[in-house]
Amino acid sequence: HVQLVESGGGSVQVGGSLRLSCVASDDTIGRYCMGWFRQIPDKEREGVAGIESDGSTSYADSVKGRFTISYDRVKNMMYLQMNNLKPEDTGMYYCVADSNCDMPKYEYGYRGQGTQVTVS
C-alpha cells in the first residue's frame, strides 16, 4: 500500500519560490510513476509535472521553465521546486503515484492529502 504525505505549501508573493515535498512509503520512489497535479478553484484539475522510474520528467506547458520535479530514492522523497510563481499557480497541490504512467496525473491511484499554495 502506497502512502504519500505532502508538505511545503504556503503563501508567497508573485515571483517568489516554494518547494513542495512528498514523503512516500518504502519502495515507492523509483518504482512507480509519480507526479503532482493541482486543483485550482473553479477550474479543471491540471497535471503539473511527472517523473518516471527511470528519472525522465514531464511538465505542463504552464509551468515549463519554472517548476522542477525531482526525487531522492534514499530518503523516499519527491520534490517540486516552484520558481517565479504567479497568481494562477494558486491551488491545492497533490502528490500522486501509480504503476501506470499513461494517464492524467489526477487519475493516478495513490494521492496525498494535498498542500495549499497561494500566490498573491
Side-chain angles (χ1 to χ4, degrees):
H1 181 68
V2 175
Q3 293 182 311
L4 304 167
V5 179
E6 305 94 335
S7 62
S11 297
V12 64
Q13 293 183 335
V14 173
S17 298
L18 283 174
R19 188 176 81 156
L20 305 184
S21 298
C22 174
V23 59
S25 47
D26 290 348
D27 295 331
T28 301
I29 302 292
R31 185 175 177 183
Y32 286 79
C33 300
M34 300 190 69
W36 298 85
F37 80 89
R38 62 189 179 188
Q39 177 72 67
I40 298 173
D42 300 324
K43 292 188 178 181
E44 294 185 356
R45 294 167 295 179
E46 179 185 25
V48 173
I51 187 164
E52 299 190 15
S53 56
D54 63 357
S56 58
T57 59
S58 59
Y59 298 93
D61 288 343
S62 58
V63 307
K64 280 181 182 177
R66 301 188 297 122
F67 290 13
T68 303
I69 189 172
S70 61
Y71 61 59
D72 184 327
R73 294 190 185 192
V74 174
K75 296 181 178 179
N76 291 317
M77 296 289 293
M78 182 175 67
Y79 306 100
L80 185 68
Q81 177 67 43
M82 307 185 294
N83 298 328
N84 190 21
L85 283 160
K86 304 176 180 180
E88 52 263 41
D89 294 318
T90 294
M92 186 69 79
Y93 284 70
Y94 296 88
C95 167
V96 294
D98 201 289
S99 57
N100 182 1
C101 302
D102 298 327
M103 57 183 175
K105 302 295 182 294
Y106 49 81
E107 293 184 2
Y108 278 25
Y110 300 103
R111 72 170 62 170
Q113 81 287 352
T115 186
Q116 177 68 34
V117 172
T118 302
V119 185
S120 60

